[in-house]
Amino acid sequence: MKPHQIRRWRPPRRAVGDRQGTSPPLGQGEPFPPSLPRPGLTAAGRNVFPGRGKRGRARTFPPLPSPSAARRPAGSRTDGDRGARPGVPPRRAQPSPLPGQRGSVSPSVRQSVGRAGARPLPGARRAAAMAETNLKWLTWAGILCYLIWNGFAQQGGSDCIKANAKSCGECIQAGPNCGWCKKNDFLQEGEPTSARCDDLAALKSKGCPMEDIENPRGSKQVLEDREVTNRKIGAAEKLKPEAITQIQPQKLVLKLRVGEPQTFSLKFKRAEDYPIDLYYLMDLSYSMKDDLENVKSLGTALMLEMEKITSDFRIGFGSFVEKTVMPYISTTPAKLRNPCTGDQNCTSPFSYKNVLSLTSEGNKFNELVGKQHISGNLDSPEGGFDAIMQVAVCGEQIGWRNVTRLLVFSTDAGFHFAGDGKLGGIVLPNDGKCHLENNMYTMSHYYDYPSIAHLVQKLSENNIQTIFAVTEEFQAVYKELKNLIPKSAVGTLSSNSSNVIQLIIDAYNSLSSEVILENSKLPKGVTISYKSFCKNGVNDTQEDGRKCSNISIGDEVRFEINVTANECPKKGQNETIKIKPLGFTEEVEINLQFICECQCQSEGEPNSPACHEGNGTFECGACRCNEGRIGRLCECSTDEVNSEDMDAYCRRENSTEICSNNGECICGQCVCKKRENTNEVYSGKYCECDNFNCDRSNGLICGGNGICKCRVCECFPNFTGSACDCSLDTLPCMASNGQICNGRGTCECGTCNCTDPKFQGPTCEMCQTCLGVCAEHKDCVQCRAFDKGEKKETCSQECMHFNMTRVESRDKLPQPGQPDPLSHCKEKDVDDCWFYFTYSVNSNGEANVHVVETPECPSGPDIIPIVAGVVAGIVLIGLALLLIWKLLMIIHDRREFAKFEKEKMNAKWDTGENPIYKSAVTTVVNPKYEGK
């Protein structure tokens, strides 16, 4: 039988629910399960994918290059070339088994089993294959971990080494991950003092014990931590305002190291029945005449409404008009006495007047406000900013307490601000100080109006929340002003101020439902960030992290605050900052203590003998040189640095290069230069060594399997070679029979080098020219089962080495899953019939063959349908041709007739008479006829 007539038979696909491990080995006829495609390798090294092409063949793709192929000398034949030799038909691609499958054997092993009856070792092969796979994964995982660690080490160590720290204090200021090794003999020859400063992991890897690494850390300590007050309105116990706590903690100490943030939590709880001071500042220009009448009864009415919010409420009143200079008012004597026209009785113009300091007597408010009269001015904008400034800074005269402070600013006009005073010849900027004498602002003609920023500063310093009660006409202006002044609100005032009480209540509820944190001026190099944890799980960061909204009485919110020092203050002194909620007097006091020196520096020895006869202070394992001295041991003065005699000590023998061109000669010693990549280091007495110029493998120094020391790789255990790329582990070379390279080669660097050219593969088990189990036993099975074939005459002598069992159908053949290696075969006999059998070897070394007793022979063709089909086809084709011919003739005739008709219509005939024509009609006249 010809070799190309042999085909593999594939058994029926097993059910999806079959347990794992029962599938036949790939390469012995098993199709891939649809849910688990598994590419394999053909015997020729081609990639095989689980799809099927024409005639049932497996689809193959070009082989991948292998290291052994790369090393093959030019002109040598590969195993793929053998299939193309003249006279040798190409073999069908045989998929190789996957690692770890039961019963998976190579063609060479199947051959040896069939001939010698030896039992293969599937467990050993599976273990070897799994070990090889695991080794590859571990190798790549190790490379990946090395790259990640190397990246982090470079990132962390970069800041530390580039700082070029000469002392422990400079080192810990370079970054939060920097440490200083104070071990005396830590530095290698040629390394500068700054090499003691590095990333903590790098120092440890260089041999510095943890107890010799200086790495001080920041901390926090709470000094005052009173709980927030739980107080109900109407409670019998009346607390003083200073005894009520709404913010926690109150005082703490933060020890800051450069770059290391310290975090603490701040809690705020809006207390119930919290005291309120309200100051009503009113515009008394003439346009506010009708408003004044309604405000005269404001005191008692507002007291009644505010009792619903707090039991401790005080109210005050002040008024303003304008600066008492031209062109804001008329300075004629008559107008100064009465700025109004006609019979109106108006009071003299003034800038600001404190009518009533804060009081809890509402009747007194009504009485004093009832005595007030309207005044007048010339221009439309008013001098309200002067009045707001005096109300904010004159705390004693106004009577402010350390409680909630509300300022109601009522007007129906705009405002003057800084710079407008130049119209009246006033050029001095507002000084932000109190100038009340007899409750009157006396410096309005001397100082300009305050700026908006100045007002914001003073209102914030004095914890005053502003409510702008303005008419509809000026709503847009004051809403813009509100955006510039924190903790302020705008309400629409009716034309006669009749809604002022409800306006105040609404504005107060709006202001008190929001808490905004602010901090005092930060020291240079200190930054602060906020994160808020508000109601209903609302969290914010950055600027919004300072604020929480929609807070009701009794609600508790929390803020997480990070304080970071980016540099040490020049003098190293402590600093104090304060954080408080806007509009509240309570605050958190934070004392900042900076860690700028190491503990070991306090233990330093000044003028130490270890520093070249006392020329420096020996601290933290290194010398800090006195002024005018340099060198690792302060052995040189600055005058000796450029001496040529010193350079001679920095040259290698028979070399003109100073410090191998990799460093500087300082005091007769080489100080090696640094590279951009801080993990790359020069070392040695003459800076002749480095740790980055060793041989590489796979893009890694020493292949990732060793350490580069002085340009030579020191390999880890089980690795050798100049680039540590040769593994001494023989496990990847272990064949399924437990032999290294199957006894047909040598294991070199974890790869088999096959000495027998017929064999190839990872463990020299694959043979392209060796017969398989099916082809080897085909003739014997054919002669014993069907009494035919090439060995029919010698069957009893050559084919009795196996036990044969006949089965009825292919379904009765043994299926994969049994412990013995099993091969499914499909072969052609001498009659071109297909027969199916299985071949296996049991644990006793006995070969067993199960064969289907009836071959599958191709049936002959059915003549009658073929002849009938041919005749019918001829008839149909003839009819079709006749129909087509008829159709074409009809079309042609119609075209000709249409052409004839067209020519007939276009014909033109001559109508003239023929001159030789004689008519056939003769007319005869009766002469006797008289026409009667």
Side-chain angles (χ1 to χ4, degrees):
M1 185 165 296
K2 297 180 180 180
H4 66 274
Q5 293 178 331
I6 300 174
R7 289 188 184 175
R8 289 272 181 181
W9 170 67
R10 294 180 179 268
R13 191 184 304 275
R14 294 184 63 84
V16 178
D18 289 351
R19 63 184 178 88
Q20 185 178 3
T22 61
S23 301
L26 183 63
Q28 298 181 17
E30 180 210 9
F32 286 93
S35 61
L36 185 63
R38 296 179 306 210
L41 288 176
T42 65
R46 294 180 175 269
N47 295 322
V48 179
F49 288 81
R52 297 189 60 81
K54 296 181 180 178
R55 300 179 61 187
R57 290 194 179 100
R59 292 198 299 266
T60 61
F61 291 84
L64 298 174
S66 63
S68 60
R71 293 192 298 266
R72 190 178 294 116
S76 63
R77 280 204 306 263
T78 65
D79 293 322
D81 299 330
R82 295 191 184 101
R85 288 182 296 174
V88 180
R91 293 178 58 85
R92 190 179 309 280
Q94 304 288 341
S96 64
L98 291 175
Q101 287 183 310
R102 297 179 60 86
S104 302
V105 292
S106 67
S108 61
V109 175
R110 288 199 297 267
Q111 179 190 15
S112 62
V113 169
R115 291 179 178 176
R119 181 188 178 191
L121 300 175
R125 176 174 173 82
R126 181 168 62 253
M130 293 179 65
E132 180 182 1
T133 304
N134 292 338
L135 180 64
K136 291 179 180 178
W137 279 108
L138 289 174
T139 302
W140 283 107
I143 292 173
L144 181 62
C145 293
Y146 173 82
L147 292 174
I148 294 175
W149 176 86
N150 187 44
F152 279 115
Q154 178 176 345
Q155 183 179 3
S158 176
D159 294 335
C160 305
I161 295 178
K162 287 184 178 179
N164 200 26
K166 298 297 190 298
S167 66
C168 185
E170 294 179 9
C171 177
I172 63 174
Q173 294 179 44
N177 297 321
C178 298
W180 177 272
C181 184
K182 61 182 181 180
K183 184 180 178 183
N184 291 344
D185 56 350
F186 171 72
L187 294 179
Q188 299 181 12
E189 196 169 21
E191 284 189 307
T193 303
S194 59
R196 292 182 177 272
C197 181
D198 206 341
D199 181 81
L200 301 178
L203 290 176
K204 190 175 179 180
S205 66
K206 292 178 182 178
C208 186
M210 287 301 297
E211 59 270 16
D212 286 334
I213 297 178
E214 283 287 327
N215 181 33
R217 313 310 301 178
S219 62
K220 66 177 179 180
Q221 180 184 4
V222 179
L223 302 181
E224 191 174 339
D225 193 26
R226 296 191 308 273
E227 290 290 336
V228 293
T229 304
N230 292 316
R231 183 188 181 206
K232 300 293 184 181
I233 189 169
E237 181 185 4
K238 295 295 183 181
L239 298 176
K240 294 182 179 180
E242 56 270 16
I244 300 175
T245 302
Q246 297 184 105
I247 192 169
Q248 181 186 1
Q250 293 78 39
K251 181 182 278 189
L252 66 157
V253 175
L254 298 181
K255 293 186 177 180
L256 301 178
R257 177 177 169 179
V258 172
E260 181 187 24
Q262 291 299 318
T263 304
F264 68 94
S265 183
L266 185 148
K267 183 166 62 176
F268 177 85
K269 183 176 182 180
R270 183 181 165 193
E272 192 171 354
D273 195 23
Y274 195 70
I276 299 174
D277 284 353
L278 185 145
Y279 192 84
Y280 196 93
L281 184 60
M282 184 175 180
D283 177 8
L284 285 188
S285 59
Y286 187 78
S287 59
M288 294 287 286
K289 179 179 180 181
D290 55 345
D291 299 83
L292 180 60
E293 296 301 322
N294 288 319
V295 174
K296 289 180 179 179
S297 60
L298 176 66
T300 54
L302 187 58
M303 292 285 276
L304 292 174
E305 288 294 329
M306 295 301 290
E307 283 179 358
K308 300 176 183 178
I309 299 175
T310 177
S311 60
D312 189 356
F313 176 72
R314 298 197 311 166
I315 189 170
F317 184 83
S319 58
F320 66 91
V321 181
E322 187 55 276
K323 288 184 179 294
T324 55
V325 295
M326 282 289 289
Y328 311 108
I329 65 169
S330 175
T331 55
T332 61
K335 289 295 184 180
L336 288 176
R337 289 192 299 270
N338 184 3
C340 300
T341 59
D343 298 332
Q344 298 290 337
N345 185 19
C346 298
T347 187
S348 299
F350 57 91
S351 177
Y352 162 67
K353 177 167 58 176
N354 177 30
V355 179
L356 175 66
S357 298
L358 291 165
T359 179
S360 57
E361 301 176 14
N363 293 329
K364 190 176 182 181
F365 180 93
N366 294 344
E367 178 185 350
L368 290 177
V369 174
K371 298 178 181 180
Q372 301 304 307
H373 297 282
I374 293 297
S375 184
N377 62 322
L378 295 180
D379 61 341
S380 175
E382 314 294 1
F385 275 16
D386 273 342
I388 293 176
M389 178 61 75
Q390 293 304 303
V391 172
V393 299
C394 298
E396 292 184 3
Q397 290 86 338
I398 304 299
W400 292 116
R401 298 178 295 171
N402 285 331
V403 297
T404 300
R405 300 175 176 179
L406 299 179
L407 170 61
V408 180
F409 182 83
S410 176
T411 184
D412 64 348
F415 49 82
H416 285 295
F417 52 89
D420 288 353
K422 293 181 180 179
L423 296 173
I426 303 173
V427 295
L428 286 178
N430 196 289
D431 64 351
K433 296 180 180 179
C434 182
H435 297 287
L436 289 184
E437 294 182 9
N438 298 323
N439 288 325
M440 296 290 292
Y441 180 38
T442 58
M443 302 297 286
S444 66
H445 63 286
Y446 192 75
Y447 290 114
D448 194 5
Y449 301 99
S451 65
I452 296 176
H454 201 180
L455 275 184
V456 170
Q457 177 189 355
K458 292 301 179 180
L459 290 172
S460 177
E461 286 179 0
N462 293 280
N463 305 306
I464 296 174
Q465 304 177 60
T466 310
I467 301 173
F468 296 103
V470 297
T471 56
E472 182 69 33
E473 180 183 358
F474 290 94
Q475 280 287 306
V477 175
Y478 282 90
K479 283 183 178 178
E480 290 295 329
L481 181 61
K482 166 191 171 294
N483 295 332
L484 301 174
I485 301 179
K487 293 293 284 187
S488 62
V490 177
T492 303
L493 190 68
S494 62
S495 59
N496 57 2
S497 297
S498 59
N499 67 332
V500 68
I501 294 179
Q502 189 60 43
L503 185 153
I504 293 173
I505 297 297
D506 293 342
Y508 170 73
N509 290 332
S510 174
L511 290 172
S512 58
S513 66
E514 184 177 62
V515 57
I516 303 175
L517 296 184
E518 70 165 359
N519 51 266
S520 60
K521 184 179 179 180
L522 298 174
K524 183 181 179 182
V526 176
T527 59
I528 190 168
S529 64
Y530 297 83
K531 184 177 182 181
S532 60
F533 298 87
C534 307
K535 287 176 60 178
N536 303 322
V538 178
N539 301 336
D540 277 313
T541 55
Q542 298 180 357
E543 284 304 314
D544 289 336
R546 297 172 175 261
K547 178 173 64 175
C548 277
S549 303
N550 300 322
I551 302 174
S552 304
I553 293 176
D555 288 341
E556 183 176 294
V557 295
R558 186 171 64 87
F559 296 88
E560 192 175 88
I561 303 174
N562 287 334
V563 182
T564 307
N566 299 313
E567 62 182 62
C568 277
K570 292 184 178 179
K571 297 182 180 179
Q573 72 274 17
N574 298 341
E575 299 282 354
T576 299
I577 63 173
K578 295 181 180 180
I579 300 176
K580 68 175 183 178
L582 281 174
F584 295 86
T585 58
E586 296 176 69
E587 61 188 14
V588 180
E589 182 179 322
I590 306 172
N591 182 256
L592 304 180
Q593 299 179 4
F594 300 91
I595 303 175
C596 300
E597 297 290 345
C598 299
Q599 180 64 32
C600 60
Q601 289 183 259
S602 61
E603 304 168 0
E605 181 184 357
N607 301 322
S608 172
C611 299
H612 197 267
E613 301 177 356
N615 288 319
T617 300
F618 188 77
E619 58 183 31
C620 302
C623 286
R624 180 184 286 185
C625 299
N626 297 336
E627 188 175 355
R629 305 294 296 185
I630 57 173
R632 279 177 55 181
L633 301 177
C634 310
E635 64 271 25
C636 292
S637 66
T638 53
D639 300 333
E640 300 171 344
V641 173
N642 296 323
S643 172
E644 294 185 1
D645 294 336
M646 291 291 182
D647 292 345
Y649 294 100
C650 298
R651 296 190 187 96
R652 299 177 68 180
E653 188 176 355
N654 298 326
S655 175
T656 59
E657 296 178 345
I658 297 177
C659 299
S660 305
N661 289 334
N662 295 325
E664 296 181 83
C665 185
I666 299 178
C667 298
Q669 292 184 346
C670 285
V671 177
C672 303
K673 64 182 180 182
K674 300 177 183 178
R675 292 175 58 85
E676 288 188 16
N677 184 349
T678 54
N679 290 319
E680 299 177 354
V681 179
Y682 290 110
S683 60
K685 182 178 180 181
Y686 303 104
C687 302
E688 74 278 11
C689 296
D690 61 61
N691 65 346
F692 54 88
N693 273 324
C694 292
D695 290 343
R696 296 174 180 258
S697 178
N698 295 327
L700 299 176
I701 296 175
C702 300
N705 302 317
I707 299 175
C708 182
K709 291 187 177 180
C710 203
R711 303 185 180 182
V712 177
C713 286
E714 291 188 4
C715 301
F716 297 148
N718 285 335
F719 289 95
T720 185
S722 62
C724 301
D725 54 350
C726 184
S727 173
L728 300 178
D729 188 7
T730 59
L731 189 60
C733 300
M734 192 69 67
S736 59
N737 58 6
Q739 294 182 332
I740 294 178
C741 299
N742 206 30
R744 302 188 182 101
T746 57
C747 186
E748 299 176 1
C749 299
T751 303
C752 281
N753 184 15
C754 303
T755 55
D756 191 337
K758 291 192 304 180
F759 293 91
Q760 61 178 358
T763 55
C764 302
E765 292 185 76
M766 298 174 62
C767 179
Q768 283 286 91
T769 59
C770 300
L771 291 175
V773 172
C774 296
E776 181 180 358
H777 299 286
K778 175 192 68 173
D779 294 334
C780 284
V781 173
Q782 187 180 179
C783 77
R784 288 189 59 180
F786 309 110
D787 195 22
K788 55 185 176 181
E790 296 179 0
K791 293 186 178 183
K792 177 180 178 181
E793 303 299 333
T794 60
C795 189
S796 59
Q797 291 82 23
E798 299 181 12
C799 300
M800 304 304 295
H801 58 278
F802 57 82
N803 301 321
M804 189 180 71
T805 304
R806 290 181 173 86
V807 296
E808 296 179 359
S809 64
R810 286 157 46 183
D811 295 336
K812 300 295 180 65
L813 289 174
Q815 298 298 322
Q818 61 184 29
D820 300 329
L822 180 68
S823 296
H824 280 264
C825 301
K826 176 183 178 182
E827 303 290 345
K828 262 190 178 182
D829 61 14
V830 292
D831 299 325
D832 282 341
C833 296
W834 293 101
F835 66 96
Y836 303 87
F837 66 95
T838 62
Y839 185 90
S840 63
V841 181
N842 62 20
S843 58
N844 297 324
E846 298 177 351
N848 296 307
V849 173
H850 291 73
V851 61
V852 179
E853 58 186 7
T854 304
E856 290 183 0
C857 296
S859 58
D862 195 349
I863 302 299
I864 295 176
I866 295 175
V867 173
V870 171
V871 172
I874 293 173
V875 172
L876 292 175
I877 292 173
L879 291 175
L881 292 174
L882 288 174
L883 291 174
I884 293 172
W885 175 80
K886 183 62 177 177
L887 179 63
L888 292 175
M889 292 302 296
I890 292 172
I891 294 173
H892 179 266
D893 291 344
R894 288 184 177 179
R895 286 181 178 175
E896 289 295 326
F897 182 74
K899 183 178 179 182
F900 170 75
E901 289 292 332
K902 184 177 180 181
E903 291 178 353
K904 181 180 178 182
M905 294 293 295
N906 294 334
K908 294 182 179 180
W909 303 97
D910 190 3
T911 58
E913 293 184 357
N914 190 345
I916 64 174
Y917 171 77
K918 290 184 178 181
S919 175
V921 180
T922 302
T923 304
V924 179
V925 179
N926 188 356
K928 296 292 186 177
Y929 177 71
E930 298 178 354
K932 294 181 180 180

